[in-house]
Amino acid sequence: MRHLLGIDDLSREDIERFLERAHYYTEALFEGSWNKTLLSDRVILHLFFEHSTRTLTSFEIAAKRLGAEVVNWNPETSSLSKGENFIDTIDTLCAMRPDAIVMRHADYGAPKFVAGRAGCPIINGGDSWRAHPTQALLDALTLRQHFGKIEGLCVTLIGDIAHSRVATSNIELLRKMGAKLRIIAPAILMPEKRPEGVEAFNTLEEGLPHSDVVMTLRLQKERMDRALISSDGEYFREFGLTTSLLDRLAPKAMVMDPGPLVRGVQMEDEVAEDPRRSLILKQVANGIPTRMAVLDILMTGKAA
Ligand code: NCD
C-alpha cells in the first residue's frame, strides 16, 4: 500500500506517473470516456480539520466521478467537541475501515501519523505549512498543459513563502522537474532556510523580469503568531500584481494562484480576470483529473 504524504517522498518517475494519469483523466473527462465504476465498492473518508473549498470539493467530485462513496467527517460536530482526543478519534474512525482517507490538519506531520495507524492509503490534502502534494501536482499539470513542458520554465512565487504549504510542495516538485525557481517576499515572510537552488528577491522590480509564470500566495494570517504585515494595503502596494506592472516587468508571464484569492491583496481584479494571463480557474478545474489520478493510482494497487 502506498500513501501520498508529500512531494519529498516522490521520485521524478512517480511524479511523471501521476501527471500522465492526470492528463489521461483530463481528456477522458472531456470525452466522457473513463471507467465510472472504477471505485464503485469503495468508501473514502474525508477528515478535514481545517477549512477548504477547492481541495475538499474537488476530492469529493473526483471520488464520485470514479464511483466511490464519500463520507465527510466534520470536526465541529464530532466528539472532539466532547473532549475525545485526536488519537482516539483517529483510531475510532480507522476501526470503521474506510478504503482511503483524505486529510487536512494544521499540525505538522498529522497525515504521516495517521498513515502509521490506519490500514488504508492516506492522502495528504494539506499538512500544516509544510505540504500540499495534490496542489503541486495540479499546478504542474496546468503548467504542462499551457507550456508543453516544465523543464527550464522560470517560475516565480510571490508572497507568504514562510507559511505556505503550497510554496513548499511546489518548490519541491518544480525543482525535481527542472524548473528555475524564484521567490519574492518581504524579508519577514521569507522561509528561515532558503530552499536550495531558489533565487530570492525582496521586490517585484528585481524578481519579476524574465518570469514565465508568477504564482501569488495568500498571507497565511492564521499561521502567524502576530501581525507580520502592517496592512493589506501596504502589502498590495509592494507585492500586489497589477496589469501595468506586469506589462512593464513580465509582459509574457502567466499568473497562477492556488486560491483562496484575496482580491486587492495578492493582485488586482483585472489581473485575476484577464483570460490572456490568468490560469487560476484552469488550476481549479485541474483539481478534478489530478485527484482522480491520485485515487486511481493509490486505491487500485497500481502504485509502484
Ligand atoms: C491552499 C491551502 O489550503 O493550502 N488552498 C488550496 O488548497 N487550494 C492555500 C491557502 O489556504 O492559502
Side-chain angles (χ1 to χ4, degrees):
M1 181 178 56
R2 278 252 320 246
H3 309 288
L4 178 59
L5 300 176
I7 298 297
D8 45 356
D9 296 334
L10 303 180
S11 65
R12 190 168 168 150
E13 291 68 41
D14 294 328
I15 295 169
E16 283 293 353
R17 234 164 124 244
F18 282 118
L19 293 180
E20 270 163 34
R21 201 73 191 142
H23 176 69
Y24 159 77
Y25 277 117
T26 309
E27 299 203 326
L29 282 164
F30 184 71
E31 290 160 6
S33 62
W34 75 99
N35 179 355
K36 299 173 183 87
T37 57
L38 186 78
L39 301 178
S40 63
D41 52 350
R42 312 295 185 88
V43 178
I44 301 173
L45 178 60
H46 286 172
L47 278 186
F48 276 58
F49 292 80
E50 282 189 327
H51 294 183
S52 174
T53 296
R54 280 147 280 264
T55 307
L56 180 61
T57 312
S58 64
F59 263 115
E60 182 157 357
I61 292 176
K64 289 184 171 171
R65 293 263 185 247
L66 294 170
E69 297 279 348
V70 174
V71 174
N72 279 303
W73 173 84
N74 177 348
E76 272 137 42
T77 55
S78 79
S79 292
L80 280 176
S81 62
K82 299 181 191 168
E84 184 172 70
N85 71 27
F86 174 74
I87 296 178
D88 286 339
T89 298
I90 293 300
D91 288 349
T92 300
L93 294 167
C94 289
M96 298 181 197
R97 302 181 67 89
D99 295 297
I101 296 176
V102 182
M103 75 172 286
R104 168 174 285 196
H105 201 286
D107 288 347
Y108 175 41
K112 188 168 182 192
F113 176 80
V114 174
R117 304 179 85 84
C120 65
I122 304 299
I123 299 161
N124 175 1
D127 173 353
S128 61
W129 51 271
R130 188 60 187 82
H132 195 351
T134 58
Q135 181 69 41
L137 286 168
L138 74 88
D139 288 339
L141 178 70
T142 308
L143 288 174
R144 196 173 261 184
Q145 284 171 351
H146 186 82
F147 292 95
K149 61 169 189 176
I150 296 174
E151 178 122 34
L153 286 180
C154 178
V155 182
T156 303
L157 283 75
I158 305 170
D160 189 357
I161 316 291
H163 301 101
S164 169
R165 55 190 168 213
V166 176
T168 312
S169 284
N170 259 305
I171 289 170
E172 285 169 356
L173 185 148
L174 293 169
R175 194 173 38 209
K176 282 188 187 182
M177 302 303 282
K180 288 185 251 164
L181 287 156
R182 293 181 185 173
I183 52 180
I184 307 177
I188 192 92
L189 298 180
M190 281 289 181
E192 262 172 39
K193 191 167 163 277
R194 164 118 59 92
E196 207 181 303
V198 174
E199 278 187 285
F201 302 92
N202 294 125
T203 66
L204 295 177
E205 292 285 335
E206 292 168 291
L208 277 186
H210 310 295
S211 301
D212 296 303
V213 181
V214 289
M215 184 184 294
T216 53
L217 299 161
R218 183 177 67 89
L219 296 172
Q220 306 271 312
K221 291 181 184 167
E222 71 277 24
R223 294 187 217 288
M224 298 178 191
D225 48 15
R226 62 195 161 86
L228 297 178
I229 295 292
S230 54
S231 78
D232 286 351
E234 187 195 317
Y235 177 86
F236 177 72
R237 276 191 295 283
E238 278 190 56
F239 296 97
L241 294 182
T242 62
T243 296
S244 62
L245 195 87
L246 285 167
D247 282 345
R248 185 164 61 80
L249 295 175
K252 294 200 183 125
M254 298 304 289
V255 173
M256 297 173 77
D257 189 294
L261 175 67
V262 187
R263 286 170 179 259
V265 181
Q266 280 123 279
M267 64 186 74
E268 66 179 4
D269 290 354
E270 199 180 320
V271 174
E273 287 160 17
D274 183 345
R276 292 166 307 129
R277 263 194 182 121
S278 172
L279 292 173
I280 296 172
L281 290 178
K282 190 80 196 137
Q283 291 172 269
V284 175
N286 278 336
I288 308 289
T290 303
R291 288 166 177 134
M292 287 170 81
V294 169
L295 297 176
D296 174 346
I297 289 175
L298 294 183
M299 293 183 72
T300 60
K302 288 185 204 147

